[in-house]
Amino acid sequence: MAPAKKRNVSSKANVKKIKIDLEGIVERILKSRKHANDVFDILEFLQSEKEKDITCAVDACCKLFCTFLKRKDLFIGKLPGEDEAIKGEHSPDEKYKIFMRHRYNNCVEILLEHLNHETHEVKESALCCLMKFAAGQGLHPLEDLDWSEHFSFPRELIQAVVHNILSQSSDNSLLISRFQEFLEMEDVRYYVMSSIRDNVATVMDKSKGVVLPVYQSNVFTLMLNINMPSQDSELTNFMVKQEAKHEDWKAAKLHDHKRAFERMWLGFLKYKLPNSMYKKVLVILHDSILPHMSKPTLMIDFLTAAYDVGGAISLLALNGLFVLIHQHNLDYPDFYKKLYNLLEPSVFHVKYRARFFHLANLFLSSSHLPVYLVAAFAKRLARLALTAPPTALLIVLPFIYNLIRRHPSCRVLIHKPSSEDELLEDPYVMKEVDPALCHALESSLWEIKTLQKHYHPDVAKAAMLINTPLSEQEDDISEVLEITSYELMERDLKPTESKSFPLEFETAAHLLERRGEVLGQHFCLA
Amino acid sequence: MGKAPKKKNLADKVRKAKAASEIKNNPFEVKINRKKFDVLGRKSKHDVGLPGVSRSKAISKRKETLLKEYKQKNKSNKFIDRRLGEYDAKMTPEDKILQRFAIERQHSHGKRDVYNLNEEEELTHYGQSLAEIEKFNDTVGSDDESEEKGLLSAELTASHFGGGGGLLRKKTSGGEQEDEQGGQKAKSRQELIEELIQKSKQEKRERQVQKEEAQELTEKLDQDWKSIQALMVKKTPKAEHVDKPEEKPEEYDMMVRELGFEMKAQPSEKMKTPEELAKEEKEKLQKLEADRLRRMMGDEDGASVQSQVHMSADDLNDGFVLDKNDKKTLAYQDGKWNIEEETEDDKEEEGKTGEEEGSEAEDENEEDDDDVEEEEEEGSGEDEDGHSDLESEQESENEENDEEEEASSSRQQQTLSREELKAQQEAAKAELPYTFTAPESYEDLKDLLHGHTPDNQRLIMARTQKCNHPSLAAGNKLKLQKLVGFLMEYMGELATRSPPELCTIDKLIPELYALCQMFPEAAGKSMQSILGDAAHSMEEAVEVKGHAAFPTLDMLVYLKVTALLFPTSDFRHPVTTPALLFISQTLTKCPVRSLQDLTSGLVLCCLGVEYISFSKRFLPELINFLSGTLHLAVQDKASTGCMVVPPFRLSGKYSDLLVLSNSESCSSWSKKNLPLSATQQLELKSDLNKDHYRLNCLSTCLDLVKRCCLLYKDLTSFTHIFQPIRTLLSKHLLFVVLLQELHSEILDAISSASVTHTRLVFEKKKPIPLKLFTPKIVEVLDYGKKRGSTREEREKERLKHKYKKEFKGALREIRKDSRFLAREKLNEVMNRDAERKRKVKELLGSLATQEGEWKALKRKKRT
């Protein structure tokens, strides 16, 4: 223990020393141009193997070049080559500026490389430093242009940063979450969005239809971290203030933000996504993407494609589709038929069960649906309920009852008195994809009758309701949508006063020997 | 009342003079309150009034109270008359005098001669002076029998000719008579008791008188006898001889009594024959079964909790539970244990034990006889004692039995080298102490049981339980309740050890069962917390990862133990319902990724089938899992086209778990029971072994499917439930010969189920009666009172009314009082005035006479 501690202490001391050294160098360079060559020492440190050294050097660089940017000690305009500058006709002052500009460019390159360093600290400090440079450049542009015509913003630098953040090999989610604080600034966000679009287009075109999970997840995380403002007046936080024509700047207009946002997403969704990514996009689509698009209807293609995929993805696409149908007047042919075919045993087991039933409840709440359709839904759900866990059953049974309540003509499903006691086979055809042809209306919900024998008392009680006419009031299924089996269990585990524990009266002498033993017939102790 | 008032008015006189009935009948006294309406069924108290009587009553009352107060007003001293019975009208003057005299005597007899015993006073017994009794000249007792001789009392005849039951009936006969009387006259209980007391007192008195008379007579006789004794010296032996033959009926009496007592001395609960015992047991089980059924149907109305534990009459209430399998009575043969018996078939054993019990019963019967004889000698007074003796003997015997059984139970597991083992066990048992303190913590329990063989661990637990029985000390109940939780925890730990020590768990089950029977609450709570924790952790795993791992062996053991301790068929049970939910959660959320997982799943399926086998409830997860398991065995997944329910997948890495690697391996396979430990670790080296294991799993799975088919064949959706399994079995799975039988049985069962059903209709409601047009007649119970208000309001209203009435009454009384007082004052003033007038008149008169005299004198002088 002791030696390690010692080393630790010594390394700390070492770091401190370096820091002091670097600070000294920075002081010297800033004080007089004599020490200009010391800047190489800093750059050397910047490329060192030790993380501590790097972070110290990054700090030093940041301080140094920010001051230079402020002092305008860096060459402004089109930068001549280093060799040319030495040969060419320049004043010493200009020569110095050119030299420093080159060093600055070197420094930025190294920092961009560091964005994909192994350790997070280095990445983070490099990112912060780069963003400070960007801010500095925004205030004191390095390009020599007519600023009354153009808007000064370090576009290239931001593009480079984005390009490096969206790595194809390592998961940069931590760094991206750090980056989020810069995305709060409106202009940065705007330019980042357009950079992402360009970047995605180039990278994905190169990959030629092959999914790049790491890259795409990085892009997705970055895009997810973009918080769009909802009103024009909220656009106040800028990194670079434009002196003239601020109002005309695209980055200052919400409409342009929305368009950039829309193009970014469309550009991203154009390419093939890994399955998990697909689901993630669909999960957030309706509340964090669609509202911020200038034309949400452009998502129709994506959503219909997703809806046709089947399985969990279809279930999730339903939510986006609902928003489009509900708010943007989308007309979707055979929507209910597809919804009907989405009903499979797995809907009771997937994670998005609550969302699906919430939406299904919304879709089927219309009173203008044909009876055959509602009956088909009720019958199919009842049939599927034969494989459902109790938590799902507590949703499905009230759901079916609600359907019957809304459409009183469906009551024949649970009550069809006939004069003679005819016996009949279930006429319902499970395999029929068209709800109009599945003969659901001619059937009865015998499945619910079966569920009256379900092992869980709550389910059995719920199933008992069909024995008597249903009440007028609809059941509120939103309460049971999110119920988990542990919560269900807690109902019985809760200590109540009147609860007694009935006991088994058959004496137990052995683990596996008893009347009606099943386990003991197939398994043995040893 | 009659004496104090000095002034008597007319009404008082009248009232005193005439009897009440006379007054009532006097039309001048009676005032009839006319009713406005005559209402049927209404009783009114005030239809007839006696104003004169009531007025005079009121006036006299005022005179006694108000007037006195008025007269005493402004007077600080008061004269209290303490003469005895001075104002008691009920006392006759003679009584008064007598009592006053007695008190006088008492007063004169002061404290000073409290201890002066010899003066005047005489100690008596039954009104007879003790001094006289001390003379011992009472010889009455000796001749008592001779007096009774020849007396044909009702009692005697009843005992002789009444079928012999007279003696027994004697006790109750009194009560019966009273009952009859009660029936005739319908007397109240109080009256009856009073009558009884009176009667007994009277009898006592009569007896005393009789006795006194008899004594006098005998004394007289004695004296007579003495006077003629000398004359009859030689004749006495003859007289004795004459007496003798008359004693014979006494023997008969004795016999009658004996018989009577014999019947009386019979035990309240007779010794039961084995058949009777079996019958009783059966009845008890039937009752419990009915109870179970009721709970299964979910009837909540019978909530009255009955004692769950059956207590036999012989139960010592020591918490010891006799296990069926332990029921081996120890028998001795030539001073050795009769161990051979244990190796014999159970049937024989039972027969033998039955015989033994029979013989024991006989023995005890003999003892009973002895006891009865003894009692007879000792007299009837001791008969209860004798009985309690008998009971205590039985108890001690039972205790012995218990201990012996316990000892013998530990010798159940006999192996080939029984002799050796026996010796070992004897040695080990010798080491075990007989008392244990109850462990305070789980660590204590572990230390206690550490290093002992399973049998000894069981013995330790049993002894701990006995030593700390709740009836022995106050804190023991709590200790044992804690022990339940510890024991469960210990079982879980045993199951998680590698290799799992399931045999130890097996041994500890009876102890846990016994503890659970004693403390259902504690056992239920600890099991609940175990299940809750497991379910919660699984839920968390599912939230994080989307799936969870199969539970470890300890949870499987807990689930099994739950089924052993608690009824699984209840509609809702605080322990078994969560346990079933846990099974369901596991079967839906845990993907099968290895043969171990599959084994765990199959264990859970077995447990599931066990849980529902009695109630036949529908457990969808079970069918899903079984069909998923069968799906694992299909070689060509793509062609099946049937739906697979999560956690199983249609295709994937683990979807070929049960596909045989080599179809040849079937030939060498035979069904074996899988070890429970296979759920934790499974080492199968060769492909052949793996294939055999797979076949084992498949056969288990098929057997479970078959059981499910039988259980669910009455469900309306039976065919739909088993549709996937049916298609799998009939089209895609072809089995080896050994499984073929199961296979075909299942298919037969599925296809034989009826597919047609009647349509669903609502349950028939009770028809709503037609509306009738006849007016609805409501019985009005309280007239003129507000109805339809709440209970409190009515109460308030009633109180208000009462207050008003009382207030008015009080006001009236006060007015009457003041009127009375005014009258009295006026009277006083009038009297005073009259007096003064009289005096003035007197004075004036005397003056007039003086004047007259003087004038006369003057006239005389003049003349």
Side-chain angles (χ1 to χ4, degrees):
Chain A
M1 213 50 210
K5 216 171 189 178
K6 218 174 188 177
R7 205 186 307 145
N8 216 355
V9 169
S10 68
S11 74
K12 243 183 205 170
N14 201 16
V15 167
K16 223 170 225 172
K17 210 178 80 199
I18 290 167
K19 208 171 180 181
I20 292 162
D21 280 359
L22 284 172
E23 274 171 15
I25 294 170
V26 170
E27 290 288 311
R28 264 182 283 152
I29 297 172
L30 288 177
K31 215 177 262 175
S32 75
R33 292 184 175 176
K34 265 194 291 184
H35 303 286
N37 274 333
D38 287 349
V39 82
F40 285 112
D41 293 344
I42 302 178
L43 292 182
E44 204 175 303
F45 269 117
L46 204 56
Q47 280 164 307
S48 101
E49 297 292 315
K50 290 181 196 162
E51 298 144 23
K52 304 272 181 190
D53 293 0
I54 297 175
T55 45
C56 290
V58 168
D59 286 346
C61 283
C62 181
K63 198 176 172 191
L64 182 70
F65 289 112
C66 280
T67 331
F68 278 143
L69 276 172
K70 234 181 263 170
R71 284 195 206 162
K72 305 209 176 193
D73 269 354
L74 297 178
F75 183 77
I76 296 173
K78 195 176 173 340
L79 186 67
E82 208 161 349
D83 299 334
E84 281 175 40
I86 295 164
K87 286 173 200 162
E89 296 293 309
H90 293 287
S91 65
D93 183 50
E94 269 190 355
K95 272 186 185 169
Y96 171 75
K97 281 187 181 174
I98 290 169
F99 169 77
M100 270 305 166
R101 176 78 191 275
H102 276 289
R103 297 292 79 73
Y104 173 68
N105 285 357
N106 286 350
C107 176
V108 167
E109 268 169 37
I110 296 166
L111 286 175
L112 284 173
E113 267 171 40
H114 279 328
L115 281 182
N116 284 318
H117 200 269
E118 294 95 27
T119 49
H120 178 65
E121 283 80 34
V122 176
K123 282 186 197 177
E124 198 180 322
S125 56
L127 180 70
C128 290
C129 184
L130 281 169
M131 290 316 286
K132 272 185 190 155
F133 287 167
Q137 274 192 38
L139 281 174
H140 314 283
L142 292 175
E143 283 89 20
D144 189 19
L145 287 167
D146 178 14
W147 294 118
S148 58
E149 299 280 314
H150 295 82
F151 299 102
S152 75
F153 194 84
R155 249 163 271 180
E156 286 81 17
L157 187 58
I158 293 291
Q159 213 158 3
V161 168
V162 168
H163 178 77
N164 277 292
I165 285 178
L166 298 178
S167 150
Q168 295 184 32
S169 51
S170 64
D171 181 22
N172 271 345
S173 49
L174 266 175
L175 187 65
I176 290 169
S177 65
R178 184 78 176 80
F179 191 54
Q180 197 195 358
E181 89 180 40
F182 301 105
L183 290 173
E184 293 297 314
M185 290 180 273
E186 323 294 340
D187 43 359
V188 175
R189 181 170 55 232
Y190 179 77
Y191 287 106
V192 163
M193 285 195 289
S194 50
S195 321
I196 290 173
R197 186 169 56 97
D198 297 343
N199 192 266
V200 169
T202 49
V203 172
M204 292 312 289
D205 279 342
K206 240 183 260 170
S207 75
K208 292 192 180 108
V210 182
V211 290
L212 304 169
V214 179
Y215 173 73
Q216 277 173 323
S217 88
N218 276 333
V219 175
F220 180 72
T221 333
L222 183 58
M223 294 199 296
L224 205 61
N225 276 314
I226 293 173
N227 284 328
M228 287 291 283
S230 51
Q231 280 181 329
D232 254 323
S233 55
E234 283 176 26
L235 297 169
T236 49
N237 179 16
F238 289 92
M239 185 169 85
V240 184
K241 276 271 179 197
Q242 305 296 335
E243 286 116 28
K245 299 188 293 171
H246 182 76
E247 301 301 309
D248 293 343
W249 196 22
K250 277 187 174 175
K253 284 188 212 151
L254 184 65
H255 182 67
D256 288 298
H257 270 270
K258 279 192 168 181
R259 283 188 57 190
F261 183 79
E262 180 184 299
R263 269 183 291 166
M264 172 184 80
W265 273 108
L266 288 175
F268 176 67
L269 298 177
K270 201 160 63 179
Y271 302 98
K272 199 180 171 200
L273 298 171
N275 250 353
S276 59
M277 180 74 58
Y278 217 145
K279 285 183 194 165
K280 277 184 196 164
V281 172
L282 287 170
V283 166
I284 59 147
L285 189 74
H286 68 285
D287 58 14
S288 36
I289 302 179
L290 283 180
H292 301 302
M293 289 175 69
S294 60
K295 282 185 202 156
T297 38
L298 291 176
M299 276 291 182
I300 288 173
D301 287 339
F302 173 72
L303 283 173
T304 43
Y307 195 41
D308 290 338
V309 169
I313 291 175
S314 301
L315 295 187
L316 291 168
L318 212 54
N319 211 337
L321 274 181
F322 171 70
V323 174
L324 291 185
I325 292 171
H326 181 62
Q327 290 164 6
H328 302 283
N329 224 3
L330 174 71
D331 184 26
Y332 196 99
D334 286 344
F335 176 78
Y336 283 102
K337 194 176 162 189
K338 277 191 178 165
L339 186 64
Y340 177 75
N341 285 308
L342 275 185
L343 298 177
E344 277 186 3
S346 58
V347 294
F348 296 123
H349 296 270
V350 290
K351 225 166 46 177
Y352 316 105
R353 180 177 68 196
R355 180 196 285 248
F356 173 73
F357 277 101
H358 171 72
L359 288 170
N361 193 29
L362 280 179
F363 289 132
L364 292 172
S365 59
S366 162
S367 55
H368 297 290
L369 294 176
V371 181
Y372 76 86
L373 188 74
V374 178
F377 269 101
K379 180 68 187 174
R380 191 172 179 92
L381 281 171
R383 181 63 65 80
L384 294 178
L386 290 178
T387 61
T391 44
L393 287 174
L394 287 179
I395 303 172
V396 171
L397 290 175
F399 191 92
I400 294 173
Y401 296 158
N402 281 352
L403 288 183
I404 296 171
R405 280 181 190 126
R406 282 173 205 148
H407 304 272
S409 39
C410 280
R411 212 169 83 138
V412 289
L413 286 177
I414 54 170
H415 180 63
K416 194 170 190 179
S418 54
S419 51
E420 70 273 18
D421 280 349
E422 44 166 356
L423 290 165
L424 77 163
E425 258 184 82
D426 197 345
Y428 174 70
V429 189
M430 184 75 172
K431 281 181 179 155
E432 178 60 55
V433 286
D434 189 356
L437 304 175
C438 67
H439 304 290
L441 260 183
E442 294 151 38
S443 177
S444 283
L445 296 180
W446 286 291
E447 290 83 3
I448 296 181
K449 192 96 187 159
T450 303
L451 288 176
Q452 290 179 356
K453 292 284 281 178
H454 195 268
Y455 68 94
H456 197 271
D458 292 346
V459 175
K461 268 185 196 160
M464 292 286 185
L465 290 182
I466 60 155
N467 286 346
T468 51
L470 295 172
S471 57
E472 287 291 306
Q473 191 67 36
E474 278 192 21
D475 294 325
D476 184 17
I477 64 163
S478 60
E479 286 169 11
V480 286
L481 277 179
E482 300 278 359
I483 199 166
T484 63
S485 53
Y486 179 67
E487 281 166 4
L488 198 60
M489 198 185 275
E490 266 187 330
R491 289 185 189 177
D492 283 301
L493 295 181
K494 257 186 242 155
T496 52
E497 283 168 20
S498 62
K499 199 171 275 180
S500 66
F501 291 87
L503 291 175
E504 179 65 50
F505 56 80
E506 214 173 298
T507 47
H510 292 282
L511 195 61
L512 295 183
E513 291 165 30
R514 211 166 58 129
R515 192 166 58 94
E517 178 74 37
V518 181
L519 189 62
Q521 295 206 348
H522 297 287
F523 292 90
C524 55
L525 290 174
Chain B
M1 182 192 336
K3 296 197 174 182
K6 287 156 197 166
K7 293 169 192 170
K8 288 176 185 171
N9 56 11
L10 191 72
D12 275 345
K13 272 183 196 164
V14 168
R15 209 160 59 81
K16 265 197 89 178
K18 288 176 183 172
S21 62
E22 211 175 322
I23 295 172
K24 266 187 192 161
N25 291 334
N26 185 357
F28 296 103
E29 285 280 355
V30 174
K31 180 179 186 277
I32 292 166
N33 297 323
R34 193 177 62 88
K35 279 184 224 164
K36 247 182 196 163
F37 309 105
D38 204 14
V39 182
L40 260 182
R42 183 196 276 185
K43 280 177 193 166
S44 96
K45 287 178 192 167
H46 311 293
D47 48 355
V48 177
L50 299 169
V53 175
S54 58
R55 191 175 300 133
S56 77
K57 235 190 218 171
I59 288 170
S60 67
K61 204 176 173 190
R62 286 211 169 77
K63 272 181 187 156
E64 266 172 44
T65 55
L66 197 62
L67 192 64
K68 269 188 184 159
E69 263 176 49
Y70 174 68
K71 291 209 165 137
Q72 291 291 329
K73 209 168 79 174
N74 301 328
K75 287 188 177 106
S76 51
N77 283 332
K78 203 172 158 189
F79 180 75
I80 300 169
D81 192 356
R82 284 228 175 86
R83 283 174 296 172
L84 193 84
E86 185 59 36
Y87 303 108
D88 199 345
K90 283 172 195 159
M91 256 185 178
T92 55
E94 290 81 41
D95 273 354
K96 244 183 258 179
I97 291 164
L98 213 72
Q99 283 196 1
R100 283 179 189 172
F101 178 70
I103 285 173
E104 190 77 5
R105 282 292 300 275
Q106 259 179 16
H107 281 303
S108 68
H109 191 75
K111 267 181 191 168
R112 58 198 158 83
D113 30 40
V114 167
Y115 300 106
N116 202 349
L117 286 176
N118 293 335
E119 209 150 274
E120 288 183 9
E121 270 184 283
E122 212 176 17
L123 297 176
T124 58
H125 178 69
Y126 276 123
Q128 222 180 341
S129 134
L130 276 180
E132 244 169 80
I133 292 176
E134 272 171 6
K135 287 173 190 167
F136 300 117
N137 55 1
D138 181 15
T139 49
V140 181
S142 60
D143 285 353
D144 259 356
E145 296 97 336
S146 60
E147 266 196 341
E148 277 176 17
K149 233 173 251 172
L151 211 104
L152 215 67
S153 71
E155 202 180 286
L156 205 68
T157 44
S159 67
H160 286 193
F161 307 110
L167 280 168
L168 290 175
R169 255 184 281 158
K170 202 173 107 185
K171 265 189 187 172
T172 54
S173 62
E176 279 171 13
Q177 279 173 8
E178 274 167 26
D179 280 357
E180 281 168 36
Q181 279 184 355
Q184 285 162 7
K185 292 183 183 176
K187 278 178 183 169
S188 75
R189 197 180 139 76
Q190 186 87 30
E191 281 174 325
L192 277 174
I193 288 168
E194 272 170 15
E195 205 175 50
L196 200 72
I197 292 167
Q198 223 164 12
K199 215 187 254 176
S200 69
K201 274 183 184 168
Q202 203 178 345
E203 270 174 10
K204 201 172 162 190
R205 227 173 293 139
E206 276 172 10
R207 242 182 290 138
Q208 220 168 319
V209 171
Q210 231 172 5
K211 209 176 171 187
E212 274 167 12
E213 280 174 3
Q215 208 172 339
E216 273 175 20
L217 276 173
T218 40
E219 270 172 2
K220 200 182 163 194
L221 258 174
D222 272 359
Q223 280 173 357
D224 287 0
W225 167 248
K226 271 173 195 165
S227 63
I228 56 166
Q229 196 179 21
L231 303 175
M232 298 183 69
V233 173
K234 284 174 187 174
K235 280 188 178 176
T236 38
K238 204 185 172 185
E240 279 172 15
H241 188 72
V242 171
D243 278 353
K244 265 194 177 173
E246 283 180 9
E247 279 176 17
K248 271 178 187 171
E250 271 192 13
E251 271 175 29
Y252 174 72
D253 268 0
M254 243 161 69
M255 207 119 97
V256 169
R257 286 193 181 216
E258 194 178 294
L259 284 168
F261 285 133
E262 203 161 59
M263 284 163 79
K264 209 177 187 179
Q266 261 191 343
S268 56
E269 207 164 324
K270 58 179 177 175
M271 291 303 294
K272 280 161 188 148
T273 60
E275 293 91 69
E276 275 176 326
L277 274 175
K279 198 180 155 202
E280 203 165 83
E281 188 73 10
K282 201 179 134 203
E283 274 167 6
K284 186 188 91 192
L285 283 176
Q286 272 172 349
K287 194 175 150 288
L288 287 167
E289 194 70 15
D291 202 34
R292 175 202 284 272
L293 277 173
R294 182 182 56 73
R295 280 182 279 135
M296 186 170 109
M297 301 316 288
D299 291 345
E300 307 280 337
D301 50 2
S304 60
V305 184
Q306 56 218 30
S307 64
Q308 288 119 349
V309 191
H310 169 78
M311 301 279 270
S312 94
D314 299 336
D315 200 327
L316 299 178
N317 197 18
D318 62 351
F320 185 85
V321 175
L322 211 59
D323 296 319
K324 243 178 218 163
N325 294 0
D326 297 343
K327 209 165 188 169
K328 280 177 187 154
T329 31
L330 201 66
Y332 287 91
Q333 266 188 358
D334 308 324
K336 279 184 185 171
W337 271 328
N338 185 2
I339 298 168
E340 285 82 359
E341 194 187 51
E342 289 176 10
T343 56
E344 287 169 15
D345 288 349
D346 281 358
K347 262 191 181 176
E348 283 181 28
E349 207 173 278
E350 271 178 24
K352 220 167 189 180
T353 47
E355 279 171 25
E356 277 163 22
E357 276 172 15
S359 64
E360 269 177 28
E362 277 172 24
D363 286 350
E364 276 171 14
N365 276 341
E366 281 170 22
E367 278 174 22
D368 280 1
D369 288 354
D370 291 349
D371 281 352
V372 168
E373 278 164 21
E374 277 168 26
E375 275 160 31
E376 198 194 317
E377 283 162 15
E378 284 164 11
S380 60
E382 285 201 31
D383 96 43
E384 278 183 7
D385 281 5
H387 197 62
S388 67
D389 275 352
L390 194 136
E391 271 179 0
S392 66
E393 265 172 39
Q394 278 181 343
E395 273 174 17
S396 61
E397 263 176 34
N398 276 343
E399 271 167 11
E400 278 163 28
N401 278 348
D402 286 354
E403 277 165 18
E404 282 164 13
E405 273 160 14
E406 197 193 323
S408 66
S409 67
S410 67
R411 277 192 302 283
Q412 274 182 334
Q413 306 289 320
Q414 296 282 344
T415 52
L416 288 172
S417 58
R418 196 186 305 115
E419 292 301 320
E420 279 175 33
L421 249 181
K422 200 182 127 198
Q424 258 183 12
Q425 277 184 352
E426 289 295 335
K429 231 175 20 167
E431 286 168 24
L432 278 182
Y434 282 88
T435 56
F436 293 94
T437 50
E440 289 293 325
S441 68
Y442 175 55
E443 303 303 322
D444 286 355
L445 179 73
K446 266 207 307 198
D447 292 344
L448 190 67
L449 297 179
H450 182 71
H452 288 289
T453 61
D455 282 324
N456 275 345
Q457 288 191 14
R458 186 196 161 177
L459 212 57
I460 290 170
M461 286 320 296
R463 285 180 184 167
T464 314
Q465 248 183 80
K466 275 199 154 184
C467 293
N468 295 287
H469 191 266
S471 60
L472 297 177
N476 279 351
K477 199 175 167 196
L478 208 67
K479 281 183 195 164
L480 284 187
Q481 278 180 345
K482 275 197 225 155
L483 185 64
V484 184
F486 298 151
L487 197 57
M488 283 190 185
E489 207 180 333
Y490 182 65
M491 284 186 173
E493 203 208 279
L494 286 177
T496 44
R497 284 181 191 170
S498 79
E501 295 178 23
L502 294 171
C503 288
T504 317
I505 296 177
D506 188 40
K507 285 282 178 315
L508 288 174
I509 288 289
E511 298 312 316
L512 185 65
Y513 181 81
L515 274 173
C516 180
Q517 292 288 325
M518 284 164 86
F519 309 107
E521 197 113 320
K525 289 250 167 75
S526 38
M527 195 51 97
Q528 275 189 333
S529 70
I530 289 168
L531 288 171
D533 289 348
H536 189 65
S537 57
M538 182 175 287
E539 187 95 4
E540 278 178 344
V542 168
E543 291 241 320
V544 174
K545 290 188 280 182
H547 58 82
F550 267 96
T552 45
L553 186 55
D554 56 333
M555 269 324 288
L556 303 181
V557 169
Y558 281 136
L559 287 171
K560 176 67 201 172
V561 169
T562 306
L564 291 177
L565 297 183
F566 301 101
T568 52
S569 55
D570 285 13
F571 183 67
R572 172 161 238 154
H573 188 281
V575 181
T576 48
T577 305
L580 259 175
L581 262 178
F582 182 74
I583 292 178
S584 127
Q585 194 189 14
T586 318
L587 290 180
T588 44
K589 291 281 158 57
C590 303
V592 175
R593 299 203 160 148
S594 63
L595 282 176
Q596 279 108 294
D597 287 353
L598 188 70
T599 319
S600 292
L602 285 175
V603 170
L604 284 167
C605 285
C606 286
L607 285 171
V609 172
E610 237 172 77
Y611 272 66
I612 53 155
S613 58
F614 187 79
S615 56
K616 297 190 178 177
R617 293 194 199 290
F618 179 41
L619 185 58
E621 292 84 353
L622 181 65
I623 306 295
N624 292 348
F625 194 89
L626 291 176
S627 74
T629 308
L630 288 179
H631 199 262
L632 290 180
V634 178
Q635 251 159 351
D636 186 13
K637 309 276 178 196
S639 66
T640 57
C642 52
M643 294 187 284
V644 187
V645 182
F648 293 94
R649 285 160 184 245
L650 207 56
S651 58
K653 200 166 146 197
Y654 303 107
S655 58
D656 291 333
L657 267 180
L658 284 183
V659 177
L660 297 186
S661 56
N662 185 2
S663 52
E664 297 296 304
S665 49
C666 302
S667 52
S668 58
W669 174 73
S670 66
K671 164 95 175 129
K672 271 181 291 183
N673 277 3
L674 304 170
L676 276 177
S677 54
T679 56
Q680 300 307 307
Q681 53 190 28
L682 192 59
E683 285 170 12
L684 295 170
K685 302 261 166 45
S686 64
D687 275 354
L688 189 68
N689 277 346
K690 265 190 185 172
D691 279 356
H692 284 177
Y693 195 82
R694 282 173 183 146
L695 284 168
N696 264 331
C697 287
L698 267 180
S699 93
T700 304
C701 179
L702 283 176
D703 183 61
L704 289 175
V705 170
K706 195 185 90 186
R707 281 169 192 272
C708 288
C709 280
L710 297 177
L711 282 177
Y712 292 149
K713 66 172 183 291
D714 292 332
L715 292 183
T716 42
S717 305
F718 177 78
T719 41
H720 301 304
I721 293 167
F722 283 91
Q723 186 59 41
I725 289 179
R726 187 183 186 181
T727 41
L728 272 178
L729 287 182
S730 57
K731 289 183 189 151
H732 306 288
L733 280 175
L734 299 168
F735 285 116
V736 273
V737 188
L738 281 163
L739 292 176
Q740 206 64 51
E741 197 180 339
L742 270 174
H743 184 229
S744 53
E745 269 179 43
I746 294 166
L747 283 180
D748 285 348
I750 294 176
S751 51
S752 68
S754 69
V755 285
T756 55
H757 311 287
T758 51
R759 288 193 173 283
L760 288 182
V761 283
F762 292 144
E763 272 172 5
K764 282 210 173 66
K765 275 193 297 183
K766 225 166 106 185
I768 300 163
L770 286 174
K771 258 188 186 166
L772 299 175
F773 292 102
T774 48
K776 192 178 165 192
I777 297 168
V778 181
E779 200 183 358
V780 180
L781 294 172
D782 38 357
Y783 295 93
K785 281 178 188 164
K786 260 186 205 164
R787 323 188 111 264
S789 50
T790 63
R791 197 189 159 86
E792 287 84 48
E793 270 176 73
R794 260 179 286 150
E795 183 75 3
K796 207 174 162 189
E797 207 63 27
R798 202 176 59 78
L799 283 175
K800 239 184 204 168
H801 179 71
K802 209 172 175 184
Y803 160 76
K804 216 167 165 185
K805 227 164 92 181
E806 290 294 314
F807 182 77
K808 275 182 174 168
L811 217 60
R812 204 161 44 228
E813 287 300 305
I814 289 169
R815 278 200 197 109
K816 276 181 186 166
D817 279 357
S818 53
R819 218 176 289 152
F820 175 79
L821 272 181
R823 204 162 50 228
E824 284 299 319
K825 276 180 189 166
L826 185 69
N827 255 345
E828 219 172 274
V829 172
M830 296 279 269
N831 283 343
R832 223 165 36 220
D833 285 358
E835 184 79 356
R836 202 173 56 103
K837 268 181 188 164
R838 191 181 57 76
K839 279 182 179 169
V840 169
K841 224 178 180 174
E842 215 170 82
L843 282 175
L844 283 177
S846 72
L847 281 178
T849 46
Q850 246 179 22
E851 186 75 21
E853 278 174 8
W854 181 70
K855 272 185 181 166
L857 211 77
K858 216 172 151 187
R859 221 180 288 140
K860 263 186 183 176
K861 272 181 187 175
R862 232 183 261 165
T863 55

